Every structure is written in structure tokens, then in C-alpha cells.
Amino acid sequence: MNVPETGVTNAANLSFFMVNLSHYLLNVTHKGPLSIVLDLKSQF
């Protein structure tokens, strides 16, 4: 299966963005050092 390079680049950039966003939101909510992404899902 051939996948265009642009699609792969977009998917990689989106995944990096989501990781950065979740890291930022975990820091902003100040839930403590043991916070996980499920805590974000329950809050939003």
C-alpha cells in the first residue's frame, strides 16, 4: 500500500501536537505528579 509522504507528515505532526497539548493541559490543571491523560478526559 502506497501512502503519500504528505499524509504521513500530517499524521506525525498531529500526534506530536496532541502529546504537547496533553502535557500542557496536565501542567495547567495542577492535579499533581501522578496525573494521567484519563484525568484530562474526565475533566473535559
Side-chain angles (χ1 to χ4, degrees):
M1 182 169 113
N2 293 332
V3 179
E5 184 178 341
T6 304
V8 173
T9 303
N10 288 343
N13 286 335
L14 179 61
S15 65
F16 284 133
F17 170 74
M18 294 302 292
V19 168
N20 290 334
L21 179 63
S22 64
H23 182 72
Y24 170 76
L25 288 175
L26 284 172
N27 286 336
V28 169
T29 56
H30 301 292
K31 292 285 184 180
L34 299 177
S35 297
I36 58 174
V37 174
L38 291 175
D39 296 330
L40 287 177
K41 289 171 66 176
S42 67
Q43 185 173 0
F44 295 104

